[in-house]
Amino acid sequence: MKYCTDEKIAGLLIHERVYVIYMSRILTIQGRQLLPSDIEAIRLLIADHPNWHRTRLSKELCKLWEWRTETGLLKDMACRSMLRKLELKEFVTLPVAHHSGNRQRRIPDVSHSCDPIETDLHTVRPIQLVTIQGRGSVNALFYCLMDKYHYLGCKGHVGEHMKYIAFDHKKRPVACLLFGSAAWKIAPRDRFIGWDSTTRRQNLRLMTNNTRFLIFPWVRIPHLASHILGASLRRLRQDWITKYGHDLCLVETFIDRSRFAGTCYRAANWKRIGQTKGRSRQDRNHKLQVSIKDIYVYPLTADYRQQLCGQA
């Protein structure tokens, strides 16, 4: 028989008080509001189906909640991310993952030329911007190049996103772009738009974040970056509607001033609206310091403020 020491009992009581405090309010995780009854429903679903793996659990939960995109697809990737965050907060205990949590996704190496391309923009036009849908050789090339040559790497993404790869007129790849989920809460951006927390929660899906933009290191073509940015923004809105069934009206990005000056974004008519505070979204205890970044936005519609501040 095992006996609890006074220290263990005290620890359990502290954990229980923290749990009660959290469960007495609404949580917002992965853009979804969770009531205490929602978390209890997740715990019951796990208990009733102990043989389900995490993917099955997330898909069944999406069906139960009718958590889908506008085109009817289950948002199981967002749901899986939400479940992991709930487990980190110790609200649920998930089934053991099929792979170790320390095992990183391996990006396959794809053969590609690194021969220098140093010329003027007009000599490589027209630039072809290809939208990447699903898996295949172009998708594999995108991840290989982005992971090898972007300083942040690129192991994957969660939620709605759009991937582009740019080729010159000789079919040589010259750049990659990734647009993903907008930042949940950024004070300068939220003041610029003029929305409150409730409206932001409802309408954040009308924004996207240019999370990655890479001109390959062997490519030296003046004005290429702003040219590709402009080309992507001219088609991004319609591509997004086609893929996800809803509109976009504003794009954001964050420029690390310790590495970049943001010249190509300004040349492509993006507007700088402030700076971050040097904190990561994972910085729960206000201790993690990261580089301060300039915040840039680009409106895709003339009435973007009315759309972002309107009733969902």
Side-chain angles (χ1 to χ4, degrees), residues 127-130 164-168 172-177 216 228:
I127 299 294
Q128 181 187 14
L129 198 61
V130 176
Y164 295 105
I165 187 167
F167 296 91
D168 71 359
R172 296 175 296 185
V174 293
C176 288
L177 302 96
F216 306 136
I228 291 176

Side-chain angles (χ1 to χ4, degrees), residues 89-122:
K89 294 178 181 292
E90 299 183 356
F91 289 157
V92 300
T93 300
L94 297 178
V96 176
H98 284 182
H99 300 293
S100 169
N102 295 325
R103 179 179 175 181
Q104 293 187 349
R105 177 189 175 195
R106 181 179 177 273
I107 304 297
D109 195 14
V110 178
S111 177
H112 58 276
S113 172
C114 299
D115 294 340
I117 305 176
E118 300 181 4
T119 184
D120 297 324
L121 180 59
H122 73 275

Side-chain angles (χ1 to χ4, degrees), residues 46-108:
I46 295 171
D48 290 343
H49 303 279
N51 296 324
W52 282 4
H53 49 69
R54 298 185 181 200
T55 301
R56 174 73 184 276
L57 178 63
S58 65
K59 288 183 177 180
E60 294 297 333
L61 193 58
C62 285
K63 293 176 185 177
L64 182 65
W65 288 349
E66 280 298 315
W67 196 8
R68 300 175 182 268
T69 67
E70 277 74 4
T71 56
L73 298 176
L74 296 176
K75 301 184 73 171
D76 59 304
M77 289 296 290
C79 185
R80 228 170 300 165
S81 180
M82 178 200 71
L83 289 171
R84 286 194 297 268
K85 291 174 182 178
L86 283 174
E87 186 174 47
L88 288 174
K89 294 178 181 292
E90 299 183 356
F91 289 157
V92 300
T93 300
L94 297 178
V96 176
H98 284 182
H99 300 293
S100 169
N102 295 325
R103 179 179 175 181
Q104 293 187 349
R105 177 189 175 195
R106 181 179 177 273
I107 304 297

